[in-house]
Amino acid sequence: MPIISFCSPKGGAGKTTSAIVLATTLSQGATVEVIDADPAARACAWAQRGNVPENMTIRTSRGERHIQDEIAEAAARVDVVIVDLEGAATNLNSMVLAESDLVVVPAGDEQQDVDAAVDALAQIALLERSLRREIRSAVLFGRTKAAVKARNARDLNGLMRANVETFSVELHDRTAFSSLHSLGGSLYDMSPKEVGGLPRAIANAEAFAAEIIERLGGAGK
């Protein structure tokens, strides 16, 4: 079963949010397990604030000595395994990246986020050389404007897209996505009367999930 990891050496890049968005969206039609391997444990904190979707489970990793077994156990039980990694270059991160079928590197249209994404891709490239195989990865632009971008943001976005692998879909700066951390649950549990722009957020999340499935060659359907 496909293993998808979310990796960024910078906090605030949207790593956990995008992992939750993907997991809860895929869980509408597949079984999903999220392994929270970040000591900040924000994914587990989300799970405690609302109902976790029926097809989804979440666990806290017990650390470097256990992560490979945790991934193998999850992969034997569910359709998709998602790992939320720590924002640092650690041995555990390298072990998870080596197991991953796809690495998602979240970044905003900001110089610090772009620099962090480049650092993450460099770490993946070093690991590829060590393993002598390709690790599929792509930058996911998140927290971006759904309408017109500022010139600097547009230039940074275009520069990255011209030089590294990126997702076509961007996860825009939407109230529904940020509300996941305060309300828990999934986008499908929210009320459009209480959360503005919910239908657009769901469409955005489903487009992201569809591109993930396409990049994995249909695995996890």
Coordinates of all heavy atoms in Angstrom, one line a residue, residues 9-46:
P9 N 11.5 21.2 6.7 CA 12.4 21.6 7.9 C 11.9 22.8 8.5 O 12.6 23.3 9.5 CB 13.7 21.7 7.2 CG 13.5 22.1 5.8 CD 12.2 21.4 5.4
K10 N 10.8 23.4 8.1 CA 10.4 24.7 8.6 C 9.0 24.6 9.2 O 8.1 24.1 8.5 CB 10.4 25.8 7.5 CG 9.8 27.2 7.9 CD 9.8 28.1 6.7 CE 9.2 29.4 7.1 NZ 7.7 29.3 7.5
G11 N 8.8 25.1 10.4 CA 7.5 25.1 11.0 C 6.6 26.2 10.2 O 7.1 27.2 9.7
G12 N 5.3 25.9 10.2 CA 4.4 26.9 9.6 C 4.2 26.8 8.1 O 3.6 27.6 7.5
A13 N 4.8 25.8 7.5 CA 4.7 25.6 6.1 C 3.4 24.9 5.7 O 3.2 24.8 4.5 CB 5.9 24.8 5.6
G14 N 2.7 24.4 6.7 CA 1.4 23.8 6.4 C 1.5 22.3 6.3 O 0.6 21.6 5.7
K15 N 2.6 21.7 6.8 CA 2.8 20.3 6.7 C 1.7 19.4 7.3 O 1.1 18.6 6.7 CB 4.2 19.9 7.4 CG 4.5 18.5 7.5 CD 5.9 18.3 8.0 CE 6.1 18.9 9.4 NZ 5.2 18.2 10.4
T16 N 1.4 19.7 8.6 CA 0.3 18.9 9.3 C -1.0 19.2 8.7 O -1.8 18.3 8.5 CB 0.4 19.2 10.8 OG1 1.7 18.9 11.3 CG2 -0.7 18.4 11.5
T17 N -1.3 20.4 8.4 CA -2.6 20.8 7.8 C -2.9 20.0 6.5 O -3.9 19.4 6.3 CB -2.8 22.3 7.6 OG1 -2.6 23.0 8.8 CG2 -4.1 22.6 7.0
S18 N -1.9 20.0 5.6 CA -2.0 19.4 4.3 C -2.1 17.8 4.5 O -2.8 17.2 3.8 CB -0.9 19.7 3.4 OG 0.4 19.5 3.9
A19 N -1.4 17.3 5.5 CA -1.5 15.9 5.8 C -2.9 15.5 6.3 O -3.5 14.5 5.8 CB -0.5 15.5 6.8
I20 N -3.5 16.3 7.1 CA -4.8 16.1 7.6 C -5.8 16.2 6.5 O -6.8 15.4 6.4 CB -5.2 17.0 8.8 CG1 -4.3 16.7 10.0 CG2 -6.7 16.9 9.1 CD1 -4.4 17.7 11.1
V21 N -5.7 17.3 5.7 CA -6.6 17.4 4.6 C -6.6 16.2 3.6 O -7.6 15.7 3.2 CB -6.2 18.7 3.8 CG1 -7.0 18.8 2.4 CG2 -6.6 20.0 4.6
L22 N -5.4 15.7 3.3 CA -5.3 14.6 2.4 C -5.9 13.3 3.1 O -6.7 12.6 2.5 CB -3.8 14.3 2.1 CG -3.6 13.1 1.2 CD1 -4.3 13.3 -0.2 CD2 -2.1 12.8 1.0
A23 N -5.5 13.1 4.3 CA -6.0 11.9 5.0 C -7.5 11.8 5.1 O -8.1 10.8 4.8 CB -5.3 11.8 6.4
T24 N -8.1 12.9 5.6 CA -9.5 12.9 5.7 C -10.3 12.9 4.4 O -11.4 12.3 4.3 CB -10.0 14.2 6.5 OG1 -9.5 15.4 5.9 CG2 -9.5 14.1 8.0
T25 N -9.7 13.4 3.4 CA -10.3 13.3 2.1 C -10.2 11.9 1.5 O -11.2 11.4 1.0 CB -9.7 14.4 1.1 OG1 -9.8 15.7 1.7 CG2 -10.4 14.4 -0.3
L26 N -9.0 11.3 1.5 CA -8.9 10.0 1.0 C -9.7 9.0 1.8 O -10.2 8.0 1.3 CB -7.4 9.6 1.1 CG -6.5 10.2 0.1 CD1 -5.0 9.7 0.4 CD2 -6.8 9.9 -1.3
S27 N -10.0 9.3 3.1 CA -10.7 8.3 3.9 C -12.2 8.2 3.5 O -12.9 7.4 4.0 CB -10.6 8.7 5.4 OG -11.3 9.9 5.7
Q28 N -12.6 9.1 2.7 CA -14.0 9.0 2.2 C -14.2 7.8 1.3 O -15.3 7.4 1.1 CB -14.4 10.3 1.4 CG -14.3 11.6 2.3 CD -15.1 11.5 3.6 OE1 -16.3 11.3 3.6 NE2 -14.4 11.7 4.7
G29 N -13.1 7.3 0.8 CA -13.2 6.1 -0.1 C -12.2 5.1 0.1 O -12.1 4.1 -0.7
A30 N -11.3 5.2 1.1 CA -10.2 4.3 1.4 C -9.9 4.3 2.8 O -10.3 5.2 3.6 CB -9.0 4.7 0.6
T31 N -9.3 3.2 3.3 CA -8.8 3.2 4.7 C -7.4 3.8 4.8 O -6.6 3.6 3.9 CB -8.7 1.7 5.2 OG1 -7.9 1.0 4.3 CG2 -10.1 1.1 5.3
V32 N -7.3 4.7 5.8 CA -6.1 5.5 5.9 C -5.6 5.4 7.4 O -6.4 5.5 8.3 CB -6.4 7.0 5.6 CG1 -5.1 7.8 5.7 CG2 -7.0 7.1 4.1
E33 N -4.2 5.3 7.5 CA -3.6 5.5 8.8 C -2.6 6.6 8.8 O -1.8 6.7 7.9 CB -3.0 4.2 9.3 CG -2.3 4.5 10.7 CD -2.2 3.3 11.6 OE1 -3.2 2.6 11.7 OE2 -1.1 3.0 12.1
V34 N -2.7 7.5 9.7 CA -1.8 8.6 9.9 C -0.8 8.3 11.0 O -1.3 8.0 12.2 CB -2.4 10.0 10.2 CG1 -1.4 11.0 10.5 CG2 -3.3 10.4 9.0
I35 N 0.5 8.3 10.8 CA 1.5 8.1 11.8 C 2.0 9.5 12.1 O 2.7 10.1 11.3 CB 2.6 7.2 11.4 CG1 1.9 5.8 11.1 CG2 3.6 7.0 12.5 CD1 3.0 4.8 10.6
D36 N 1.8 10.0 13.3 CA 2.3 11.3 13.8 C 3.7 11.1 14.3 O 3.9 10.7 15.4 CB 1.4 11.9 14.8 CG 1.7 13.4 15.1 OD1 2.8 13.8 14.7 OD2 0.8 14.1 15.7
A37 N 4.7 11.4 13.5 CA 6.1 11.2 13.9 C 6.8 12.6 14.2 O 8.0 12.7 14.3 CB 6.9 10.6 12.7
D38 N 6.0 13.6 14.4 CA 6.5 14.9 14.8 C 6.3 15.1 16.3 O 5.1 14.9 16.8 CB 5.7 16.0 14.1 CG 6.2 17.4 14.3 OD1 7.0 17.6 15.3 OD2 5.8 18.3 13.6
P39 N 7.3 15.3 17.1 CA 7.2 15.5 18.6 C 6.2 16.5 19.0 O 5.6 16.5 20.1 CB 8.6 15.9 19.0 CG 9.5 15.3 18.0 CD 8.8 15.4 16.7
A40 N 5.9 17.5 18.1 CA 4.9 18.5 18.4 C 3.5 17.9 18.4 O 2.6 18.4 19.0 CB 4.9 19.6 17.4
A41 N 3.3 16.7 17.8 CA 2.1 15.9 17.8 C 0.8 16.7 17.5 O -0.2 16.5 18.1 CB 1.9 15.3 19.2
R42 N 0.9 17.6 16.5 CA -0.3 18.4 16.1 C -1.4 17.6 15.4 O -2.5 17.9 15.5 CB 0.2 19.6 15.2 CG 1.0 20.6 16.0 CD 1.3 21.8 15.2 NE 2.0 22.8 16.0 CZ 3.3 22.9 16.0 NH1 4.1 22.0 15.4 NH2 3.9 23.8 16.8
A43 N -1.0 16.5 14.7 CA -2.0 15.7 14.1 C -2.8 14.9 15.1 O -4.0 14.8 15.0 CB -1.3 14.7 13.1
C44 N -2.1 14.5 16.2 CA -2.8 13.8 17.3 C -3.7 14.8 18.0 O -4.8 14.4 18.5 CB -1.8 13.1 18.2 SG -1.1 11.6 17.5
A45 N -3.2 16.0 18.2 CA -4.0 17.0 18.8 C -5.3 17.3 18.0 O -6.4 17.4 18.6 CB -3.2 18.3 19.0
W46 N -5.2 17.3 16.7 CA -6.4 17.5 15.8 C -7.4 16.3 16.1 O -8.6 16.5 16.2 CB -6.0 17.5 14.4 CG -7.1 17.1 13.5 CD1 -8.1 17.9 13.0 CD2 -7.3 15.8 12.9 NE1 -9.0 17.2 12.2 CE2 -8.5 15.9 12.2 CE3 -6.7 14.6 13.0 CZ2 -9.0 14.8 11.5 CZ3 -7.2 13.5 12.4 CH2 -8.4 13.6 11.6

